[in-house]
Amino acid sequence: MQETRQNKIARLLQKELSMIFQQQTRAMHGVMISVTRTKISPDLSICTAYLSIFPSEKADQMLRNITASEKQIRYELGTRVRHQLRIIPELRFFIDDSLDYMEHIDELLKLK
């Protein structure tokens, strides 16, 4: 039962975080941030979000900027989900490099 609730909240947070990043990246042309996956702790206090950043050359810089503005993102998230959640979880961001890894594997397979 608790796992179902965690999954629902994780999906809600993924959707809202992706909307927040979509609004923020409209001003920066040539940069796209996608929230590929979110996980929430069993006590609903920590949300881990995995981000896919295009172009991948700017990923480290963008992740540093996102981590620096973590409190502002959490506040924006809180204003969006305040009627669904009682406690807004802490946010932790990581780069999801699975697409880069798949692209690298495809290049290696093409060489053979």
Side-chain angles (χ1 to χ4, degrees):
M1 183 66 181
Q2 182 67 18
E3 189 172 315
T4 304
R5 180 170 165 78
Q6 282 177 281
N7 290 336
K8 285 181 180 180
I9 291 173
R11 283 193 307 264
L12 172 70
L13 294 175
Q14 179 179 1
K15 179 184 152 206
E16 295 299 331
L17 282 172
S18 63
M19 297 288 284
I20 291 169
F21 286 127
Q22 184 181 17
Q23 286 179 345
Q24 289 180 353
T25 57
R26 280 190 184 149
M28 299 182 295
H29 297 289
V31 176
M32 187 171 74
I33 299 175
S34 303
V35 182
T36 56
R37 186 176 54 175
T38 54
K39 289 183 184 176
I40 190 123
S41 64
D43 62 350
L44 307 177
S45 66
I46 299 172
C47 175
T48 305
Y50 294 91
L51 306 175
S52 177
I53 300 172
F54 180 80
S56 58
E57 295 83 32
K58 296 182 179 183
D60 291 329
Q61 177 190 3
M62 292 299 296
L63 185 64
R64 282 193 299 272
N65 292 344
I66 289 169
T67 306
S69 62
E70 194 172 287
K71 292 183 188 236
Q72 294 169 332
I73 296 170
R74 185 177 179 203
Y75 175 78
E76 177 69 26
L77 181 66
T79 59
R80 290 171 174 260
V81 297
R82 68 176 177 248
H83 298 295
Q84 288 100 350
L85 297 177
R86 190 178 309 165
I87 298 171
I88 307 304
E90 278 184 42
L91 299 174
R92 295 186 180 157
F93 297 104
F94 295 99
I95 294 178
D96 183 14
D97 56 354
S98 60
L99 292 175
D100 293 334
Y101 181 73
M102 288 184 345
E103 187 176 305
H104 178 69
I105 296 294
D106 283 344
E107 289 175 9
L108 290 176
L109 290 173
K110 287 179 183 176
L111 293 175
K112 290 189 174 193

Short mmCIF file of all heavy atoms in Angstrom, two decimals, residues 31-81:
data_model
loop_
_atom_site.label_atom_id
_atom_site.label_comp_id
_atom_site.label_asym_id
_atom_site.label_seq_id
_atom_site.Cartn_x
_atom_site.Cartn_y
_atom_site.Cartn_z
N VAL A 31 18.90 24.82 -24.85
CA VAL A 31 19.06 23.94 -23.70
C VAL A 31 17.71 23.31 -23.39
O VAL A 31 16.68 23.98 -23.39
CB VAL A 31 19.57 24.72 -22.46
CG1 VAL A 31 19.64 23.80 -21.25
CG2 VAL A 31 20.92 25.33 -22.73
N MET A 32 17.73 21.99 -23.15
CA MET A 32 16.51 21.28 -22.82
C MET A 32 16.78 20.37 -21.62
O MET A 32 17.76 19.64 -21.61
CB MET A 32 16.04 20.45 -24.00
CG MET A 32 14.69 19.82 -23.80
SD MET A 32 14.05 19.05 -25.28
CE MET A 32 15.05 17.59 -25.39
N ILE A 33 15.91 20.45 -20.62
CA ILE A 33 16.04 19.62 -19.42
C ILE A 33 14.79 18.77 -19.28
O ILE A 33 13.67 19.29 -19.31
CB ILE A 33 16.22 20.49 -18.16
CG1 ILE A 33 17.49 21.33 -18.27
CG2 ILE A 33 16.26 19.62 -16.91
CD1 ILE A 33 17.70 22.29 -17.15
N SER A 34 15.00 17.47 -19.15
CA SER A 34 13.89 16.54 -18.96
C SER A 34 14.07 15.82 -17.64
O SER A 34 15.18 15.44 -17.28
CB SER A 34 13.86 15.49 -20.08
OG SER A 34 13.78 16.10 -21.33
N VAL A 35 12.98 15.63 -16.93
CA VAL A 35 13.01 14.83 -15.70
C VAL A 35 12.67 13.40 -16.11
O VAL A 35 11.53 13.10 -16.45
CB VAL A 35 12.02 15.37 -14.65
CG1 VAL A 35 12.10 14.56 -13.38
CG2 VAL A 35 12.28 16.83 -14.37
N THR A 36 13.68 12.53 -16.13
CA THR A 36 13.46 11.18 -16.63
C THR A 36 12.86 10.25 -15.59
O THR A 36 12.09 9.35 -15.94
CB THR A 36 14.77 10.57 -17.14
OG1 THR A 36 15.74 10.60 -16.10
CG2 THR A 36 15.29 11.34 -18.34
N ARG A 37 13.21 10.48 -14.32
CA ARG A 37 12.72 9.57 -13.28
C ARG A 37 12.79 10.28 -11.94
O ARG A 37 13.67 11.09 -11.70
CB ARG A 37 13.60 8.32 -13.26
CG ARG A 37 13.15 7.24 -12.36
CD ARG A 37 14.03 6.04 -12.49
NE ARG A 37 15.42 6.44 -12.28
CZ ARG A 37 16.44 5.62 -12.23
NH1 ARG A 37 16.26 4.35 -12.41
NH2 ARG A 37 17.67 6.06 -12.02
N THR A 38 11.85 9.97 -11.07
CA THR A 38 11.89 10.47 -9.70
C THR A 38 11.67 9.31 -8.75
O THR A 38 10.92 8.38 -9.05
CB THR A 38 10.82 11.55 -9.43
OG1 THR A 38 9.55 11.02 -9.79
CG2 THR A 38 11.09 12.82 -10.20
N LYS A 39 12.34 9.39 -7.62
CA LYS A 39 12.14 8.41 -6.55
C LYS A 39 11.86 9.20 -5.28
O LYS A 39 12.42 10.26 -5.07
CB LYS A 39 13.40 7.58 -6.32
CG LYS A 39 13.73 6.61 -7.40
CD LYS A 39 14.96 5.81 -6.99
CE LYS A 39 15.40 4.87 -8.08
NZ LYS A 39 16.64 4.17 -7.71
N ILE A 40 11.01 8.65 -4.45
CA ILE A 40 10.70 9.31 -3.18
C ILE A 40 10.97 8.34 -2.04
O ILE A 40 10.74 7.14 -2.19
CB ILE A 40 9.24 9.83 -3.16
CG1 ILE A 40 8.99 10.72 -1.97
CG2 ILE A 40 8.25 8.74 -3.21
CD1 ILE A 40 8.52 12.07 -2.32
N SER A 41 11.49 8.86 -0.96
CA SER A 41 11.82 8.01 0.19
C SER A 41 10.53 7.50 0.84
O SER A 41 9.46 8.10 0.66
CB SER A 41 12.66 8.80 1.18
OG SER A 41 11.93 9.88 1.70
N PRO A 42 10.61 6.41 1.60
CA PRO A 42 9.39 5.86 2.22
C PRO A 42 8.68 6.83 3.16
O PRO A 42 7.46 6.77 3.28
CB PRO A 42 9.91 4.65 3.00
CG PRO A 42 11.15 4.25 2.29
CD PRO A 42 11.76 5.53 1.77
N ASP A 43 9.43 7.75 3.79
CA ASP A 43 8.77 8.72 4.67
C ASP A 43 8.36 9.99 3.93
O ASP A 43 7.92 10.95 4.55
CB ASP A 43 9.66 9.06 5.86
CG ASP A 43 10.97 9.71 5.45
OD1 ASP A 43 11.28 9.72 4.24
OD2 ASP A 43 11.69 10.18 6.35
N LEU A 44 8.52 10.00 2.60
CA LEU A 44 8.10 11.09 1.71
C LEU A 44 8.84 12.40 2.00
O LEU A 44 8.34 13.48 1.68
CB LEU A 44 6.59 11.33 1.79
CG LEU A 44 5.69 10.12 1.57
CD1 LEU A 44 4.23 10.51 1.73
CD2 LEU A 44 5.93 9.49 0.22
N SER A 45 10.04 12.33 2.55
CA SER A 45 10.77 13.55 2.90
C SER A 45 11.86 13.90 1.90
O SER A 45 12.33 15.03 1.88
CB SER A 45 11.37 13.42 4.29
OG SER A 45 12.36 12.41 4.30
N ILE A 46 12.30 12.95 1.07
CA ILE A 46 13.37 13.21 0.12
C ILE A 46 12.95 12.72 -1.26
O ILE A 46 12.52 11.57 -1.42
CB ILE A 46 14.67 12.50 0.54
CG1 ILE A 46 15.14 13.01 1.89
CG2 ILE A 46 15.76 12.70 -0.51
CD1 ILE A 46 16.29 12.23 2.48
N CYS A 47 13.07 13.60 -2.23
CA CYS A 47 12.77 13.25 -3.62
C CYS A 47 14.06 13.31 -4.42
O CYS A 47 14.74 14.33 -4.43
CB CYS A 47 11.74 14.21 -4.20
SG CYS A 47 11.43 13.94 -5.95
N THR A 48 14.40 12.22 -5.07
CA THR A 48 15.57 12.16 -5.93
C THR A 48 15.09 12.24 -7.37
O THR A 48 14.31 11.40 -7.81
CB THR A 48 16.34 10.85 -5.69
OG1 THR A 48 16.64 10.74 -4.31
CG2 THR A 48 17.62 10.84 -6.50
N ALA A 49 15.56 13.26 -8.08
CA ALA A 49 15.14 13.46 -9.47
C ALA A 49 16.34 13.27 -10.38
O ALA A 49 17.42 13.79 -10.13
CB ALA A 49 14.57 14.86 -9.65
N TYR A 50 16.13 12.50 -11.44
CA TYR A 50 17.17 12.26 -12.44
C TYR A 50 16.85 13.11 -13.66
O TYR A 50 15.75 13.02 -14.21
CB TYR A 50 17.23 10.78 -12.79
CG TYR A 50 17.69 9.94 -11.62
CD1 TYR A 50 16.77 9.40 -10.74
CD2 TYR A 50 19.03 9.72 -11.39
CE1 TYR A 50 17.17 8.64 -9.65
CE2 TYR A 50 19.46 8.97 -10.31
CZ TYR A 50 18.53 8.43 -9.44
OH TYR A 50 18.94 7.70 -8.37
N LEU A 51 17.83 13.91 -14.07
CA LEU A 51 17.63 14.87 -15.15
C LEU A 51 18.43 14.48 -16.38
O LEU A 51 19.60 14.08 -16.27
CB LEU A 51 18.07 16.27 -14.70
CG LEU A 51 17.46 16.81 -13.42
CD1 LEU A 51 18.09 18.14 -13.07
CD2 LEU A 51 15.97 16.95 -13.56
N SER A 52 17.81 14.62 -17.52
CA SER A 52 18.50 14.46 -18.79
C SER A 52 18.64 15.86 -19.39
O SER A 52 17.64 16.54 -19.61
CB SER A 52 17.69 13.55 -19.72
OG SER A 52 18.32 13.46 -20.96
N ILE A 53 19.88 16.27 -19.63
CA ILE A 53 20.15 17.63 -20.08
C ILE A 53 20.73 17.58 -21.48
O ILE A 53 21.68 16.83 -21.74
CB ILE A 53 21.11 18.35 -19.12
CG1 ILE A 53 20.48 18.40 -17.72
CG2 ILE A 53 21.44 19.74 -19.61
CD1 ILE A 53 21.40 18.91 -16.64
N PHE A 54 20.13 18.34 -22.39
CA PHE A 54 20.61 18.43 -23.76
C PHE A 54 21.01 19.86 -24.04
O PHE A 54 20.24 20.77 -23.74
CB PHE A 54 19.52 18.00 -24.75
CG PHE A 54 19.96 18.07 -26.18
CD1 PHE A 54 20.73 17.07 -26.71
CD2 PHE A 54 19.62 19.16 -26.96
CE1 PHE A 54 21.15 17.13 -28.02
CE2 PHE A 54 20.04 19.24 -28.27
CZ PHE A 54 20.80 18.22 -28.80
N PRO A 55 22.14 20.15 -24.58
CA PRO A 55 23.24 19.27 -24.96
C PRO A 55 24.01 18.79 -23.74
O PRO A 55 24.10 19.49 -22.73
CB PRO A 55 24.11 20.13 -25.86
CG PRO A 55 23.83 21.53 -25.42
CD PRO A 55 22.41 21.55 -24.94
N SER A 56 24.57 17.61 -23.84
CA SER A 56 25.22 16.99 -22.68
C SER A 56 26.51 17.69 -22.30
O SER A 56 27.01 17.48 -21.20
CB SER A 56 25.48 15.51 -22.96
OG SER A 56 26.28 15.36 -24.11
N GLU A 57 27.06 18.55 -23.16
CA GLU A 57 28.27 19.29 -22.81
C GLU A 57 27.99 20.30 -21.69
O GLU A 57 28.87 20.64 -20.92
CB GLU A 57 28.84 20.05 -24.02
CG GLU A 57 29.32 19.17 -25.15
CD GLU A 57 28.19 18.74 -26.06
OE1 GLU A 57 27.21 19.50 -26.24
OE2 GLU A 57 28.28 17.62 -26.60
N LYS A 58 26.78 20.77 -21.62
CA LYS A 58 26.41 21.76 -20.60
C LYS A 58 25.82 21.12 -19.35
O LYS A 58 25.35 21.82 -18.46
CB LYS A 58 25.39 22.75 -21.17
CG LYS A 58 25.91 23.58 -22.31
CD LYS A 58 24.85 24.55 -22.77
CE LYS A 58 25.38 25.42 -23.90
NZ LYS A 58 24.39 26.42 -24.32
N ALA A 59 25.83 19.80 -19.27
CA ALA A 59 25.14 19.10 -18.18
C ALA A 59 25.72 19.44 -16.81
O ALA A 59 24.97 19.71 -15.87
CB ALA A 59 25.19 17.60 -18.42
N ASP A 60 27.04 19.43 -16.68
CA ASP A 60 27.64 19.69 -15.37
C ASP A 60 27.35 21.11 -14.89
O ASP A 60 27.02 21.33 -13.73
CB ASP A 60 29.15 19.45 -15.41
CG ASP A 60 29.49 17.97 -15.57
OD1 ASP A 60 28.69 17.13 -15.09
OD2 ASP A 60 30.53 17.67 -16.18
N GLN A 61 27.48 22.06 -15.80
CA GLN A 61 27.21 23.46 -15.44
C GLN A 61 25.74 23.64 -15.06
O GLN A 61 25.42 24.30 -14.08
CB GLN A 61 27.58 24.38 -16.60
CG GLN A 61 27.26 25.84 -16.33
CD GLN A 61 27.41 26.69 -17.57
OE1 GLN A 61 27.69 26.18 -18.65
NE2 GLN A 61 27.21 27.98 -17.42
N MET A 62 24.85 23.05 -15.84
CA MET A 62 23.42 23.18 -15.54
C MET A 62 23.06 22.51 -14.22
O MET A 62 22.25 23.03 -13.46
CB MET A 62 22.59 22.57 -16.68
CG MET A 62 22.67 23.33 -17.98
SD MET A 62 22.08 25.02 -17.84
CE MET A 62 20.37 24.77 -17.46
N LEU A 63 23.68 21.36 -13.93
CA LEU A 63 23.41 20.68 -12.67
C LEU A 63 23.88 21.52 -11.48
O LEU A 63 23.19 21.60 -10.46
CB LEU A 63 24.06 19.30 -12.64
CG LEU A 63 23.74 18.46 -11.41
CD1 LEU A 63 22.25 18.13 -11.36
CD2 LEU A 63 24.56 17.19 -11.40
N ARG A 64 25.02 22.19 -11.62
CA ARG A 64 25.49 23.08 -10.56
C ARG A 64 24.51 24.24 -10.36
O ARG A 64 24.20 24.61 -9.22
CB ARG A 64 26.89 23.62 -10.88
CG ARG A 64 27.99 22.62 -10.60
CD ARG A 64 29.35 23.29 -10.61
NE ARG A 64 29.68 23.90 -11.89
CZ ARG A 64 30.27 23.28 -12.90
NH1 ARG A 64 30.62 22.01 -12.77
NH2 ARG A 64 30.54 23.92 -14.02
N ASN A 65 24.01 24.81 -11.45
CA ASN A 65 23.03 25.90 -11.35
C ASN A 65 21.73 25.43 -10.70
O ASN A 65 21.14 26.14 -9.89
CB ASN A 65 22.74 26.49 -12.73
CG ASN A 65 23.92 27.22 -13.32
OD1 ASN A 65 24.87 27.55 -12.62
ND2 ASN A 65 23.87 27.45 -14.62
N ILE A 66 21.29 24.25 -11.07
CA ILE A 66 20.05 23.71 -10.51
C ILE A 66 20.22 23.42 -9.02
O ILE A 66 19.35 23.74 -8.22
CB ILE A 66 19.63 22.44 -11.28
CG1 ILE A 66 19.14 22.82 -12.68
CG2 ILE A 66 18.56 21.66 -10.53
CD1 ILE A 66 18.96 21.66 -13.62
N THR A 67 21.36 22.86 -8.66
CA THR A 67 21.62 22.57 -7.25
C THR A 67 21.71 23.86 -6.44
O THR A 67 21.25 23.92 -5.30
CB THR A 67 22.92 21.75 -7.10
OG1 THR A 67 22.83 20.59 -7.93
CG2 THR A 67 23.13 21.32 -5.67
N ALA A 68 22.28 24.92 -7.02
CA ALA A 68 22.38 26.20 -6.33
C ALA A 68 21.00 26.82 -6.11
O ALA A 68 20.77 27.49 -5.10
CB ALA A 68 23.27 27.15 -7.11
N SER A 69 20.07 26.61 -7.04
CA SER A 69 18.73 27.19 -6.92
C SER A 69 17.71 26.16 -6.43
O SER A 69 16.52 26.27 -6.71
CB SER A 69 18.30 27.79 -8.25
OG SER A 69 18.22 26.78 -9.23
N GLU A 70 18.19 25.18 -5.68
CA GLU A 70 17.33 24.10 -5.19
C GLU A 70 16.19 24.60 -4.31
O GLU A 70 15.06 24.13 -4.42
CB GLU A 70 18.21 23.13 -4.41
CG GLU A 70 17.60 21.81 -4.10
CD GLU A 70 18.64 20.88 -3.50
OE1 GLU A 70 19.51 20.42 -4.24
OE2 GLU A 70 18.57 20.66 -2.28
N LYS A 71 16.47 25.59 -3.47
CA LYS A 71 15.43 26.12 -2.57
C LYS A 71 14.33 26.84 -3.35
O LYS A 71 13.16 26.73 -3.02
CB LYS A 71 16.05 27.04 -1.53
CG LYS A 71 16.93 26.29 -0.57
CD LYS A 71 17.48 27.19 0.49
CE LYS A 71 18.50 26.42 1.28
NZ LYS A 71 18.25 26.37 2.67
N GLN A 72 14.71 27.56 -4.39
CA GLN A 72 13.70 28.23 -5.21
C GLN A 72 12.84 27.23 -5.96
O GLN A 72 11.62 27.41 -6.08
CB GLN A 72 14.38 29.17 -6.21
CG GLN A 72 15.10 30.33 -5.56
CD GLN A 72 15.96 31.07 -6.57
OE1 GLN A 72 16.44 30.49 -7.54
NE2 GLN A 72 16.15 32.36 -6.32
N ILE A 73 13.46 26.16 -6.44
CA ILE A 73 12.71 25.12 -7.15
C ILE A 73 11.76 24.42 -6.18
O ILE A 73 10.60 24.15 -6.51
CB ILE A 73 13.67 24.12 -7.82
CG1 ILE A 73 14.49 24.82 -8.90
CG2 ILE A 73 12.92 22.94 -8.40
CD1 ILE A 73 15.64 24.01 -9.45
N ARG A 74 12.22 24.17 -4.96
CA ARG A 74 11.37 23.54 -3.95
C ARG A 74 10.19 24.44 -3.59
O ARG A 74 9.06 23.97 -3.41
CB ARG A 74 12.20 23.21 -2.72
CG ARG A 74 11.42 22.44 -1.68
CD ARG A 74 12.29 22.07 -0.51
NE ARG A 74 11.49 21.35 0.47
CZ ARG A 74 11.79 21.27 1.74
NH1 ARG A 74 12.88 21.85 2.20
NH2 ARG A 74 11.01 20.61 2.56
N TYR A 75 10.45 25.74 -3.51
CA TYR A 75 9.36 26.68 -3.21
C TYR A 75 8.33 26.68 -4.34
O TYR A 75 7.11 26.63 -4.09
CB TYR A 75 9.91 28.09 -3.00
CG TYR A 75 8.83 29.13 -2.80
CD1 TYR A 75 8.19 29.24 -1.57
CD2 TYR A 75 8.43 29.96 -3.84
CE1 TYR A 75 7.18 30.17 -1.38
CE2 TYR A 75 7.43 30.88 -3.67
CZ TYR A 75 6.80 30.99 -2.43
OH TYR A 75 5.81 31.90 -2.26
N GLU A 76 8.80 26.72 -5.58
CA GLU A 76 7.89 26.69 -6.73
C GLU A 76 7.10 25.39 -6.75
O GLU A 76 5.89 25.38 -7.03
CB GLU A 76 8.70 26.86 -8.02
CG GLU A 76 7.89 26.77 -9.29
CD GLU A 76 6.96 27.94 -9.51
OE1 GLU A 76 7.23 29.04 -8.98
OE2 GLU A 76 5.95 27.76 -10.20
N LEU A 77 7.77 24.29 -6.46
CA LEU A 77 7.10 23.00 -6.40
C LEU A 77 6.04 23.00 -5.30
O LEU A 77 4.94 22.49 -5.48
CB LEU A 77 8.12 21.89 -6.16
CG LEU A 77 7.60 20.47 -6.10
CD1 LEU A 77 7.05 20.04 -7.46
CD2 LEU A 77 8.69 19.53 -5.65
N GLY A 78 6.38 23.62 -4.17
CA GLY A 78 5.43 23.69 -3.06
C GLY A 78 4.18 24.48 -3.40
O GLY A 78 3.08 24.12 -2.98
N THR A 79 4.34 25.56 -4.17
CA THR A 79 3.16 26.33 -4.55
C THR A 79 2.28 25.56 -5.52
O THR A 79 1.06 25.77 -5.55
CB THR A 79 3.55 27.68 -5.18
OG1 THR A 79 4.36 27.44 -6.34
CG2 THR A 79 4.30 28.54 -4.19
N ARG A 80 2.88 24.65 -6.28
CA ARG A 80 2.09 23.87 -7.24
C ARG A 80 1.37 22.68 -6.61
O ARG A 80 0.28 22.32 -7.05
CB ARG A 80 2.99 23.36 -8.36
CG ARG A 80 3.49 24.45 -9.27
CD ARG A 80 4.55 23.89 -10.21
NE ARG A 80 4.95 24.86 -11.19
CZ ARG A 80 4.51 24.87 -12.44
NH1 ARG A 80 3.66 23.98 -12.86
NH2 ARG A 80 4.91 25.81 -13.28
N VAL A 81 1.98 22.05 -5.62
CA VAL A 81 1.40 20.82 -5.05
C VAL A 81 0.94 20.99 -3.61
O VAL A 81 0.75 20.00 -2.90
CB VAL A 81 2.40 19.64 -5.15
CG1 VAL A 81 2.73 19.31 -6.58
CG2 VAL A 81 3.65 19.90 -4.34
#
